[in-house]
Amino acid sequence: MDKFVRNQDIVLRKVHSLYYLVDVKCNYSSKGHSIPALNEVGKVIWDSLANPTKIDNIVKEIITLFDVSKISESEIKADVESYILLLTKMRYVTNVR
């Protein structure tokens, strides 16, 4: 099963009560660059990616930390997979297999 890890050039920054992912190698002067904001679940996912980890481990972490009793585990997994895919396309996360 695949494992994912975050790009070490991307750092998490907290401004007031919001979290942002910042590419430290980007100067943000050209179009097409953005600074994604994270909610609490996004932050847990990001924190989980400090070391190579499987999506199933991230799902377990979310189930442990949040009241998701009204959401099926398969739905949570699908959402995490979609988010990881987005972060992978942005090159914020790498698939390390």
Side-chain angles (χ1 to χ4, degrees), residues 21-34:
L21 295 178
V22 179
D23 184 342
V24 297
K25 289 194 173 183
C26 181
N27 65 15
Y28 294 99
S29 63
S30 62
K31 290 184 178 185
H33 296 287
S34 63

Side-chain angles (χ1 to χ4, degrees), residues 29-83:
S29 63
S30 62
K31 290 184 178 185
H33 296 287
S34 63
I35 300 175
L38 303 180
N39 62 18
E40 292 294 324
V41 176
K43 183 184 180 304
V44 167
I45 293 170
W46 185 255
D47 289 345
S48 297
L49 294 166
N51 296 302
T53 190
K54 297 177 185 176
I55 287 177
D56 288 341
N57 294 338
I58 298 170
V59 170
K60 289 176 189 173
E61 184 77 9
I62 290 169
I63 291 170
T64 300
L65 295 174
F66 298 96
D67 178 13
V68 291
S69 57
K70 296 180 181 180
I71 306 170
S72 71
E73 187 172 333
S74 62
E75 189 175 351
I76 295 167
K77 184 173 182 176
D79 288 347
V80 171
E81 287 173 338
S82 294
Y83 189 61

